[in-house]
């Protein structure tokens, strides 16, 4: 594991293109992309990656090391688009990895990182680096993820995504529902474990009015 530096030890390299006004470095922005499974969060994140790359701006992409669904060093959307990424066990490792002249930092599946990512994100935006994070805002039991909730308080921009409801087919699904794999709320998986549902269908499933397994297959 990389040794994480103290937050105060991080220094941004001189960059003539960094946003400066009156001799002061302007702060960056934190953009948080949230929503249920299959709502296009990672696709949205990677669209911002593409924008920065088209502008020939230096970036780095990170992901939790525990998410190995598409490889250890890949961020991949359900649509199939992907990007190389650096796996993290501790979000403070970011400060030890970046060079200091990046224009933006991107983090996927941020809910699986510790709440220390809040301090890291704050440090980066204070130094003029834009930060983009994507992740689930709630567990399948509708409990908020602590990391995502804390980042919400810091974000300049919050993008709330919706998915197509697996049951009724409407584009208003804001919740994830677990169909297999036990009751753990921290359980990485895809379509074999989770579906996206609207609130009405979620409540009907909970009341036993809908047999979710009759819709599968």
């Amino acid at each position: 594991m990389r040794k994480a530096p103290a937050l105060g030890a991080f220094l941004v390299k001189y960059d003539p293109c960094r946003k400066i006004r009156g001799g002061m470095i302007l702060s960056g922005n934190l953009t948080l992309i949230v929503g249920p499974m299959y709502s296009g969060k990672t696709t949205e994140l990677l669209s911002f990656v593409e924008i920065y790359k088209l502008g020939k701006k230096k970036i780095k992409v990170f992901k939790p090391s525990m998410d190995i669904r598409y490889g250890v060093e890949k961020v991949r959307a359900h649509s199939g688009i992907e990007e190389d990424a650096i796996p993290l066990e501790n979000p403070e490792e970011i400060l030890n990895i970046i060079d200091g002249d990046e224009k933006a930092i991107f983090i996927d599946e941020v809910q699986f990182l510790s709440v220390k990512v809040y301090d890291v994100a704050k440090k980066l935006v204070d130094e003029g680096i834009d930060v983009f994070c994507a992740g689930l805002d709630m567990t399948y039991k509708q409990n908020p993820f602590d990391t995502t909730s804390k980042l919400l308080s810091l974000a300049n921009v919050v993008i709330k995504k919706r998915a197509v409801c697996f049951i009724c087919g409407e584009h208003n699904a804001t919740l994830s529902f677990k169909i297999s794999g036990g009751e753990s709320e921290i359980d990485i998986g895809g379509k074999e474990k989770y579906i996206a549902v609207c609130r009405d269908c979620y409540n009907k499933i909970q009341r036993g009015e809908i047999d979710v397994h009759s819709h599968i297959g």
Side-chain angles (χ1 to χ4, degrees):
M1 182 187 300
R2 304 178 186 91
K3 183 178 179 181
L7 289 174
F10 172 62
L11 295 175
V12 171
K13 290 183 180 179
Y14 171 72
D15 181 355
C17 295
R18 196 166 295 286
K19 298 172 287 186
I20 297 176
R21 181 185 297 156
M24 299 288 290
I25 294 176
L26 298 181
S27 62
N29 292 312
L30 171 60
T31 300
L32 184 60
I33 307 163
V34 298
M37 298 285 289
Y38 321 116
S39 58
K41 301 181 299 298
T42 301
T43 299
E44 185 95 12
L45 183 77
L46 295 182
S47 72
F48 284 113
V49 170
E50 183 67 13
I51 289 169
Y52 277 75
K53 289 175 72 174
L54 286 171
K56 295 179 172 55
K57 296 177 180 178
K58 186 173 180 178
I59 65 165
K60 279 191 173 66
V61 182
F62 296 91
K63 58 174 283 188
S65 60
M66 66 186 296
D67 184 5
I68 57 173
R69 288 173 296 172
Y70 306 112
V72 175
E73 298 181 345
K74 288 286 183 183
V75 165
R76 186 179 181 185
H78 294 292
S79 61
I81 62 173
E82 63 181 25
E83 184 71 33
D84 292 337
I86 301 168
L88 298 170
E89 293 185 25
N90 185 328
E92 291 176 308
E93 294 173 32
I94 292 173
L95 303 181
N96 200 38
I97 295 170
I98 65 174
D99 300 313
D101 56 352
E102 287 85 356
K103 297 298 188 299
I105 298 299
F106 299 84
I107 309 172
D108 194 34
E109 302 291 356
V110 72
Q111 76 277 359
F112 293 132
L113 293 174
S114 79
V115 293
K116 292 179 181 179
V117 75
Y118 173 92
D119 295 318
V120 173
K122 185 175 183 298
K123 181 67 178 176
L124 292 172
V125 297
D126 283 346
E127 296 289 355
I129 298 174
D130 293 328
V131 178
F132 294 81
C133 298
L136 297 168
D137 46 359
M138 290 191 291
T139 72
Y140 78 97
K141 292 183 178 180
Q142 298 191 59
N143 293 320
F145 279 101
D146 291 341
T147 297
T148 316
S149 297
K150 195 164 184 179
L151 287 171
L152 279 166
S153 66
L154 183 64
N156 302 85
V157 178
V158 177
I159 301 173
K160 177 77 170 182
K161 304 288 289 183
R162 294 177 297 170
V164 174
C165 178
F166 184 83
I167 303 297
C168 69
E170 295 298 320
H171 184 225
N172 59 355
T174 57
L175 303 171
S176 303
F177 188 84
K178 195 173 188 181
I179 56 175
S180 67
E183 295 190 5
S184 174
E185 293 181 77
I186 307 296
D187 188 11
I188 295 175
K191 293 182 179 179
E192 79 286 355
K193 287 185 180 179
Y194 298 98
I195 59 173
V197 291
C198 67
R199 182 165 295 279
D200 288 337
C201 289
Y202 184 98
N203 290 334
K204 288 177 181 178
I205 294 170
Q206 293 293 85
R207 292 194 298 263
E209 297 173 13
I210 293 177
D211 178 11
V212 67
H213 293 285
S214 68
H215 291 263
I216 300 171

